[in-house]
């Protein structure tokens, strides 16, 4: 089947099987930044934005995305770079495997929530697992990123 | 996942027809749970183009489209105003944002999942379901009846009132499934007590409700007695998240806390 | 200092956040064969027959490999120095399968769907054997898990496969029985720890191909590329010189990628077919078919006099290595060697035990490496002893714990499966850590408990811990520094960046010594063709061992540079001053920049490449120390525990990168909390791991993370690079004991079996109230 969608603003026509999940479609199309951490919709590593909302690409059928817009971290490079700056200052990045998904979710949160506190950051990001950092440094870095209006 | 065909039906009638043509045909709402339970599907039927996902306010009731996501439920200012915010709270207690942006209230209800957190809250205020073929139906009826023909849920209707509500989920970590969940409501001194994930599907503690609902004044002892009745009448069992005994103890404690939270005056 | 002990962002964080390719799977060939492994549904069985004819007929199936395709050559998958202290008890594939998830055979096909289809078509007939699922009855069980004659130990490790014993050991100092008999107070308790899962976010992954020189090139998500190369060569009898292992970015390891995983199978497929291939574990395979922490029973006996002097420790450990013996002996020994020296003033110590085979998922290396298990037992037992003595657990530790300049005879006796190395604690700020932690957690105010409301009590609990910094006389790290034209450097290290930040801190060390900035030092790590040898990322060795190698290399480079400048000035080297950028002839005041000198070296005069390689092997392993404190709220009606705060005060010497060091501690604390409270391992009565995905095995999420307060003691280890010791593991050790001690202080319930679930706490509380 053919599916027409927008990937990071660019119109794409993709050849897929009805049972293909977006994560596999993206990887087949050389988008490596979207990664797999599980098979059970429970780690958050595969997050992409669907019409601006964070969703698990491992559980979303590509055929259902006709006309929809998908954002991966390639679509928000400036924001990712800025978030990385604050992660760097806090030592909040370790293995980095969770980080593109973190950038996307934080970006969506920034658009959606007004003045998030540590508590709201926690509950918005709670599904994004990270085994390395213990989370706290990420939260501090995210707060600094949100304060930066530049 | 293996899916033979993907269908975007033109009408609900078409959707229902195809849905009932084969046990391997399924409607897709969020698709989050289907992904984790089914390996082979004959026809996947798209619902999002046919069913509303909005939360709408009317003078006397609220209507929630069956495609409304759990994230929209948890964020809804309207739902936070009513029933002690238990619908928003229950939605909030489920997984993370990515799952909640996919998973829908419709998929949650039709699935009748025994672990469900949202069903517990919805049952406590016994919402009305609007199905395409069956028409209107109370959630309590739907949960306790087996339907041979598959139907499509369109929306959920909730009557506005001054109900006070309490909801609590106990789980090992905040992303985990419940060991138990409890909702207690007080609608003008009519109390509802619902316990889910026992691990059976959400159910009323009917004799406990009968007991407390016939009292004029409620004392501490009455509350204890109500909790005992509930813990005794509901069926609990063990799985790797918790034993029967532990679940029963938790139910007792959280029903008690729930009652204390929603009872205006304990004499 | 300019580059060390200051806040420096990791050198790679930005690229990774922006989604740049970096991980193993990002480098797989587009046309790789996809490998899927058929895994045993039985905990113990003999393969009677394999019928793969239908599968082989399937279009797109390239090969199916089983035990029939390999010579019987036992090896160990343990990523350790050679000869390994782990038994050689594994074959590529075997006629026997020894746990649910064990490898039966593999299929390589053109895509995943075909490979999966092929697996479903293969019929394997098994003869089911009696399995051993209770590790406490494994020893001398009638069912022998490793009856095969070829398996062996590399040197004596107490290997007795006929008794299901993978390793055993005993040592004693003084006469424990006699000391205990003289003690006023004695406690004897058994503690159980579970098979915690590493749960790194990147599943194990490997891919292979032959390059244009017909050499086998692997990308692998591994902590030990040089060990991987050696083991592949041994297992497949393939020349070492024709193997290249590249470790790209690794998405977390924690010990779980220290041992070989899919590398041998993947290599075998490429060797057999000549085609590129890849194997990426599913999350279920990561849980069921990689490794876990060794579950243990620890019998701890402590004796003290009435004044609270600890006199004797007797520690027996029974450890479950599962189906294979990777790291069996060494993890178990660390349970003693990096725990018991904490209390060095005893008259006598005994440490002994057995590591048994069972039909469980194999255990392997995991951050803490035995020390977390031992720490839980010892630090719980100490609090129990204090309870009996009616003594403050703080005062008790202040009297009995190890202090700076002191030593413990255990260091000399116990090493990495061999004898140890005597050493004095040149740095040990444990007293500071303890006292500072008391302040930060507000111990005086909360100890033992405060009632918050009718069902909530707040309490505090604590534990002290130590670890090591590499394995003396065994762990070797090497570093090469190369000068480039324009005056910047390449730093080539075998040390393995796996997310812990080693590339960054090694760059900092080089930059500091070369008096330059980190952007002038371009690091490349772990490629067996290009970088010098390093044992890999384990045993908390990277900062100390590899860091010392980098420091040595930088020193040598500096002197070479000065020599070249002296040539240029035509003077003696003592007349040359170098500030990192400019060389000055101190008499004539002539000068030349590094940039100009390097350009001259490469293009203009007496051209040559400046490149130096240095190695370091530790002669000691200075332990980092810490004190950990938990403040919890406990619900006495439900047993639920919420950790409000966790205070860590750590002595890891000078922190090369304070924020990354903090990240190591905090990440480890939360993993330790996972072991203490949440990470419940469930195995069915048929031996199947039930908790085999993130829905059933719950690692801590953000919501479980307490306020983390982490401080470092001022400390300077003379043997470490710029005063550093290690910090990778120490953080994980204290949470189990500190939290269960807090639980005891809250409600009088002593949890001796991890994890401390609310259900266990409530049931114990009920039992206790019932008794009273
Ligand atoms: C990893 C994970 C963890 C979860 N944890 C929890 C938890 O702890 N607590 C909890 O309460 N929930 C939990 N959920 C479940 C989640 O809340 C949803 O209930 C679930 O995903 C179903 O919603 P959906 O829209 O995705 O349904 P789908 O997966 O699309 O559908 C579920 C079923 O309902 C049918 N269906 C869907 N919509 C309709 C309709 N309108 N009419 C008729 N039939 C319909 C489908 O055909 C299917 O059979 C979890 C989900 C996941 C993926
Ligand atoms: S890969 Fe884990 S949630 Fe999608
Ligand atoms: S940094 Fe490794 S998983 Fe988050």
């Amino acid at each position: 089947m053919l599916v027409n969608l927008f990937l990071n603003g660019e119109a794409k026509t993709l050849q897929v099987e009805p049972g293909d999940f977006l994560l596999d479609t993206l990887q087949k199309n050389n988008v490596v930044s979207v990664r797999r951490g599980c098979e059970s919709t429970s780690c958050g590593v595969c997050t992409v934005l669907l019409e601006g909302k964070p969703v698990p690409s491992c559980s979303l059928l590509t055929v259902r995305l006709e006309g929809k817009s998908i954002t991966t971290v390639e679509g928000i490079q400036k924001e990712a770079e800025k978030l990385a700056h604050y992660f760097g200052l806090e030592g909040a990045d370790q293995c980095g495997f969770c980080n593109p998904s973190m950038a996307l979710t934080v970006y969506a949160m920034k658009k959606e929530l007004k003045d998030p506190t540590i508590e709201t950051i926690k509950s918005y990001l709670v599904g994004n697992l990270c085994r390395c950092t213990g989370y706290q440094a990420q939260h501090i870095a995210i707060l600094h990123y949100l304060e930066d209006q530049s | 996942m293996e899916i033979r065909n993907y269908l975007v039906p033109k009408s609900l009638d078409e959707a229902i027809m195809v849905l009932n043509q084969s046990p391997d045909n399924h409607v897709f709402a969020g698709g989050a749970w289907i992904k984790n339970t089914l390996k082979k599907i004959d026809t996947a039927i798209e619902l999002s183009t046919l069913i509303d996902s909005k939360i709408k306010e009317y003078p006397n009731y609220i209507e929630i489209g069956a495609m409304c996501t759990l994230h929209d439920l948890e964020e809804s200012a309207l739902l936070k105003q009513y029933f002690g915010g238990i619908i928003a709270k229950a939605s909030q207690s489920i997984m993370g944002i990515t799952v909640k942006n996919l998973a829908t209230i419709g998929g949650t209800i039709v699935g009748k999942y025994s672990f469900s957190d949202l069903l517990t809250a919805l049952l406590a205020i016994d919402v009305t379901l609007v199905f395409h073929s069956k028409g209107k139906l109370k959630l309590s009826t739907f949960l306790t009846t087996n339907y041979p023909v598959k139907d499509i849920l369109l929306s959920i209707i909730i009557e506005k009132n001054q109900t006070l509500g309490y909801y609590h989920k106990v789980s090992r970590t905040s992303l985990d499934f419940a060991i138990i969940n409890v909702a207690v409501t007080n609608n003008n001194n009519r109390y509802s007590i619902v316990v889910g994930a026992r691990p059976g599907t959400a159910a009323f503690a009917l004799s406990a409700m009968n007991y407390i609902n016939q009292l004029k004044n409620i004392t501490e002892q009455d509350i204890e007695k109500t909790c005992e009745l509930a813990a005794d009448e509901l069926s609990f069992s063990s799985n790797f998240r918790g034993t029967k005994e532990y679940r029963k103890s938790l139910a007792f404690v959280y029903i008690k806390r729930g009652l204390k939270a929603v009872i205006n005056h304990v004499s | 200092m300019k580059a060390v002990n200051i806040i420096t962002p990791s050198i790679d964080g930005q690229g990774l956040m922006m989604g740049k390719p970096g991980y193993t799977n990002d480098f797989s060939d587009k046309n790789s064969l996809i490998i899927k492994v058929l895994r045993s549904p039985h905990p113990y069985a003999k393969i009677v027959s394999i019928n793969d004819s239908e599968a082989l007929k399937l279009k797109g199936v390239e090969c199916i490999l089983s035990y029939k395709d390999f010579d019987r050559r036992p090896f160990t998958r343990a990523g350790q120095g050679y000869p390994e202290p782990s038994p050689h008890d594994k074959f590529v594939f075997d006629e026997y399968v020894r746990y649910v998830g064990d490898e039966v055979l593999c299929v390589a096909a053109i895509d995943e769907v075909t490979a999966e289809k092929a697996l479903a078509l293969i019929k394997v007939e098994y003869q089911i054997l009696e399995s051993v699922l209770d590790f406490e009855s494994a020893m001398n069980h009638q069912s022998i898990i490793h009856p095969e004659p070829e398996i062996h130990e590399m040197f004596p490790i107490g290997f007795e496969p006929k008794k299901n014993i993978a390793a055993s050991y005993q040592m004693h100092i003084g006469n424990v029985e006699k000391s205990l008999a003289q003690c006023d107070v004695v406690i004897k308790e058994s503690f159980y720890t579970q098979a915690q899962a590493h749960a790194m976010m990147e599943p194990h992954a490997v891919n292979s191909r032959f390059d244009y020189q017909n050499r086998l090139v692997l990308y692998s998500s591994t902590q030990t590329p040089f060990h991987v190369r050696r083991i592949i060569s041994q297992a497949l009898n393939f020349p070492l010189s024709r193997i290249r292992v590249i470790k790209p970015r690794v998405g977390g390891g924690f010990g779980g990628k220290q041992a070989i995983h899919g590398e041998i199978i993947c290599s075998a497929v490429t060797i057999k077919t000549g085609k590129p291939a890849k194997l990426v574990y599913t999350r279920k395979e990561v849980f069921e078919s990689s490794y876990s922490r060794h579950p243990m029973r620890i019998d701890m006996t402590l004796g003290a006099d009435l004044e609270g002097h600890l006199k004797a420790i007797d520690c027996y450990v029974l450890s479950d290595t599962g189906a294979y013996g990777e790291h069996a002996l060494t993890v178990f020994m660390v349970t003693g060697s990096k725990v018991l020296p904490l209390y060095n003033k005893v008259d006598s110590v005994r440490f002994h035990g057995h590591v048994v085979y069972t039909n469980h998922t194999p255990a392997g290396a995991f951050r803490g490496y035995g020390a977390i298990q031992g720490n839980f037992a010892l630090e719980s037992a100490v609090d129990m002893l204090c309870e009996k003595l009616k003594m403050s657990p703080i005062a008790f530790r202040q009297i009995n714990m190890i202090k700076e300049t002191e030593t413990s005879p255990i260091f000399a006796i116990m090493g990495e499966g061999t004898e140890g190395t005597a050493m004095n604690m040149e740095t040990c700020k444990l007293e500071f850590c303890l006292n500072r932690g008391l302040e930060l957690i507000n111990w005086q105010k909360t100890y033992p408990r405060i009632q918050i409301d009718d069902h909530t009590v707040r309490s505090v609990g604590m534990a002290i811990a130590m670890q090591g910094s590499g394995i003396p006389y065994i762990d070797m790290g090497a570093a090469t520094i190369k000068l480039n034209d324009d005056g910047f450097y390449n730093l080539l290290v075998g040390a393995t960046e796996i997310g812990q930040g080693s590339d960054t801190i090694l760059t900092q060390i080089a930059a500091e010594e070369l008096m330059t900035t980190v952007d002038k030092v371009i690091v490349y790590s772990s490629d067996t063709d290009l970088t010098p040898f390093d044992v890999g990322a384990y045993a908390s060795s990277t900062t100390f061992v590899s860091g010392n190698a980098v420091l040595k290399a930088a020193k040598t480079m500096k002197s070479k540079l000065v020599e070249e400048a002296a040539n240029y000035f035509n003077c003696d080297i003592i007349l040359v001053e170098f500030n990192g950028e400019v060389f000055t002839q101190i008499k004539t005041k002539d000068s030349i920049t590094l940039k100009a000198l390097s350009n001259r070296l490469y293009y203009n005069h007496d051209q040559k490449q400046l490149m130096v390689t240095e190695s370091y092997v530790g002669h000691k392993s200075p332990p980092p120390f810490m004190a950990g404190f938990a403040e919890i709220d406990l619900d006495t009606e439900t047993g639920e525990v919420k950790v409000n705060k966790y205070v860590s005060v750590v002595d890891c010497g000078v922190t090369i990168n304070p924020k990354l060091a903090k990240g190591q501690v905090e990440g480890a604390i939360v993993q330790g909390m996972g072991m203490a409270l949440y990470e419940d391992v469930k195995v069915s009565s048929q031996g199947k791991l039930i908790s085999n995905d993130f829905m059933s095995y719950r690692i801590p999420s953000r919501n479980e993370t307490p306020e983390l307060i982490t401080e470092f003691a001022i400390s300077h280890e003379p043997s470490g690079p710029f005063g550093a010791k290690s910090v990778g593991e120490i953080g994980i050790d204290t949470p189990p004991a500190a939290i269960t001690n807090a639980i005891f202080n809250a409600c009088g319930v002593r949890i001796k079996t991890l994890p401390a679930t609310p259900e266990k706490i409530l049931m114990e509380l009920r039992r206790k109230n019932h008794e009273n």
Side-chain angles (χ1 to χ4, degrees), chain B residues 10-251:
Chain B
K10 308 237 166 3
S11 67
L12 284 164
D13 288 336
E14 186 192 355
I16 293 257
M17 192 189 71
V18 178
L19 178 60
N20 281 296
Q21 271 167 2
S22 151
D24 291 332
N25 294 354
H26 296 273
V27 289
F28 269 65
W33 197 248
I34 296 185
K35 132 101 184 180
N36 283 298
T37 43
L38 298 177
K39 285 260 169 312
K40 268 196 180 158
I41 289 176
D42 198 19
T43 301
I45 306 164
E46 183 60 66
L47 272 193
S48 63
T49 48
L50 295 173
I51 299 184
D52 200 8
S53 62
K54 298 263 168 347
I55 304 171
K56 291 183 186 149
E57 182 172 18
Y58 296 93
N60 298 323
Y61 63 95
I62 297 166
E63 181 167 20
I64 305 173
M67 282 297 293
C68 183
T69 65
L70 303 189
H71 183 53
D72 286 346
L73 292 180
E74 73 175 332
E75 290 294 322
S76 162
L78 180 64
L79 290 175
K80 280 181 191 155
Q81 276 174 39
Y82 286 94
F83 329 114
I86 59 174
I87 296 178
K89 270 186 205 153
S91 306
Q92 208 200 345
S93 73
I94 297 168
M95 287 299 285
I97 186 87
T98 57
V99 170
K100 282 185 280 198
N101 274 332
L102 279 193
T104 63
I105 187 169
T108 301
I109 292 172
V110 177
K112 297 186 185 178
Y113 304 112
S114 59
F115 56 79
S116 179
D117 298 312
L118 186 54
L119 277 182
T120 299
L122 294 173
L123 183 60
I125 46 177
D126 204 1
V127 300
T128 302
L129 311 179
V130 185
F131 279 95
H132 180 65
S133 310
K134 285 195 283 282
K136 285 189 185 173
L137 193 64
K138 280 281 175 195
L139 176 61
S140 52
T141 313
F142 177 70
L143 287 181
T144 49
T145 315
N146 275 327
Y147 299 94
V149 179
K150 290 198 259 183
D151 200 350
I152 293 179
L153 178 64
L154 304 179
S155 67
I156 292 92
I157 289 178
I158 316 173
E159 188 194 320
K160 284 191 200 164
N161 55 37
Q162 295 308 310
T163 295
L164 302 172
Y166 168 91
Y167 170 82
H168 191 83
K169 168 179 181 174
V170 182
S171 58
R172 291 177 302 174
T173 70
S174 69
L175 289 178
D176 201 8
F177 295 92
I179 300 173
I180 203 161
N181 53 42
V182 174
V184 180
T185 55
N186 170 3
N187 178 8
N188 203 9
N189 296 331
R190 298 287 302 169
Y191 297 95
S192 276
I193 298 167
V194 176
V195 183
R198 306 180 317 280
T201 312
F204 287 119
L206 288 171
S207 46
M209 284 159 60
N210 281 340
Y211 174 78
I212 194 165
N213 282 330
Q214 44 88 28
L215 297 171
K216 293 251 151 49
N217 294 312
I218 300 173
T219 63
E220 291 279 353
Q221 287 85 337
D222 293 326
I223 292 178
E224 293 272 327
K225 170 86 185 168
T226 308
C227 299
E228 264 166 39
L229 285 170
D232 285 340
E233 71 179 296
L234 291 167
S235 62
F236 296 91
S237 53
S238 301
N239 65 7
F240 75 89
R241 288 193 166 78
T243 61
K244 180 176 169 168
E245 293 69 33
Y246 185 56
R247 287 197 156 98
K248 200 166 161 170
S249 313
L250 288 176

Side-chain angles (χ1 to χ4, degrees), chain A residues 23 35-39 41-46 56-59:
Chain A
L23 173 58
R35 303 196 160 91
R36 181 192 297 284
C38 73
E39 288 83 41
T41 332
S42 32
C43 71
V45 166
C46 65
S57 65
C58 67
S59 306

